[in-house]
Amino acid sequence: KQWYQRRVAITAGGAVFYPCLPVDHALAILIPLHTHWGLEQVFLDYVHIKGLKMPISIALKVLTGLTIVALLYFNQHDIGITQAVKDVWNIRRVKPEELG
């Protein structure tokens, strides 16, 4: 499983060199899955209360699924993940003298 996770993280780096809708869709699936796997390990390692593991696991799966759907929707109906990240990086800091 860890080998697969590393390959997923490396694949996500392709967005820097080839931003397009298929790459955005791949990121929309891979980023939440990568986060899901990490949080799943945290919960497995640190949650030892009987009866709490199942609800947390279900909630994590639902949240991951909703995140994937939301990111796919964002890619299809808005600017996409790679362009959104570029836009955030290109926000310039407004100097106080420019405000008034």
Side-chain angles (χ1 to χ4, degrees), residues 1 5 29-44 56-65 67-68:
K1 189 174 181 178
Q5 292 171 356
I29 295 168
L30 297 176
I31 291 171
L33 279 179
H34 183 73
T35 304
H36 175 87
W37 292 326
L39 288 173
E40 186 178 48
Q41 287 302 307
V42 169
F43 291 135
L44 286 174
I56 288 176
S57 176
I58 291 170
L60 183 59
K61 288 175 184 171
V62 168
L63 184 63
T64 301
T67 303
I68 290 171

Side-chain angles (χ1 to χ4, degrees), residues 15-58:
V16 174
F17 302 107
Y18 192 66
C20 61
L21 189 60
V23 171
D24 280 346
H25 283 337
L27 288 174
I29 295 168
L30 297 176
I31 291 171
L33 279 179
H34 183 73
T35 304
H36 175 87
W37 292 326
L39 288 173
E40 186 178 48
Q41 287 302 307
V42 169
F43 291 135
L44 286 174
D45 290 343
Y46 297 107
V47 176
H48 300 292
I49 302 170
K50 255 190 180 182
L52 196 58
K53 286 187 179 187
M54 184 61 82
I56 288 176
S57 176
I58 291 170

